[in-house]
Amino acid sequence: MSDATLPSPEQRMLAALARLDQVDGREALRRAVRLAFFARTVPDALIQAVLGEGEPDSGWSATGEIRVSEHGDLVSERRNGEGASKWVPATQGEIDAYFDRPRARRG
């Protein structure tokens, strides 16, 4: 299969993969096919064993940092044991604490 036979959205994705991996389109396509094959052959039991049966967010702790996202929503920072962080929608409790916090007086 040549990448010229792919629909336009897939051609753009393949070109982006080639740029990200710094390979040509043929190699990017080969890698994509191998990944798709692997994804279809991995047993669900193995995926569950790797991911665990707990909550998807288990292992992430709130840092107390709340910000307004680029979309105007309040988001809360989460950090895991390895030091990685992510921003997730703030819980109602976090939102309440955000608005109840003391404000610095200007002036």
Side-chain angles (χ1 to χ4, degrees):
M1 172 194 269
S2 147
D3 60 351
T5 62
L6 293 172
S8 180
E10 284 78 8
Q11 285 182 18
R12 287 192 303 274
M13 287 186 268
L14 188 58
L17 285 173
R19 277 191 311 277
L20 288 170
D21 289 348
Q22 298 179 350
V23 297
D24 64 20
R26 186 174 180 88
E27 176 63 14
L29 180 59
R30 185 189 74 77
R31 291 178 182 189
V33 169
R34 289 176 65 95
L35 179 60
F37 179 81
F38 174 76
R40 292 294 301 261
T41 60
V42 174
D44 288 343
L46 180 59
I47 293 171
Q48 286 301 318
V50 170
L51 296 178
E53 295 185 18
E55 289 288 317
D57 282 338
S58 65
W60 293 88
S61 302
T63 65
E65 183 75 25
I66 305 289
R67 293 187 180 166
V68 178
S69 76
E70 60 192 26
H71 302 291
D73 303 317
L74 289 175
V75 292
S76 173
E77 184 181 32
R78 300 285 191 264
R79 194 168 297 274
N80 69 12
E82 297 171 356
S85 66
K86 65 180 179 177
W87 292 89
V88 298
T91 65
Q92 188 59 50
E94 291 169 325
I95 292 170
D96 293 342
Y98 176 80
F99 286 111
D100 290 342
R101 75 186 194 284
R103 306 263 193 257
R105 292 195 169 180
R106 296 183 189 239

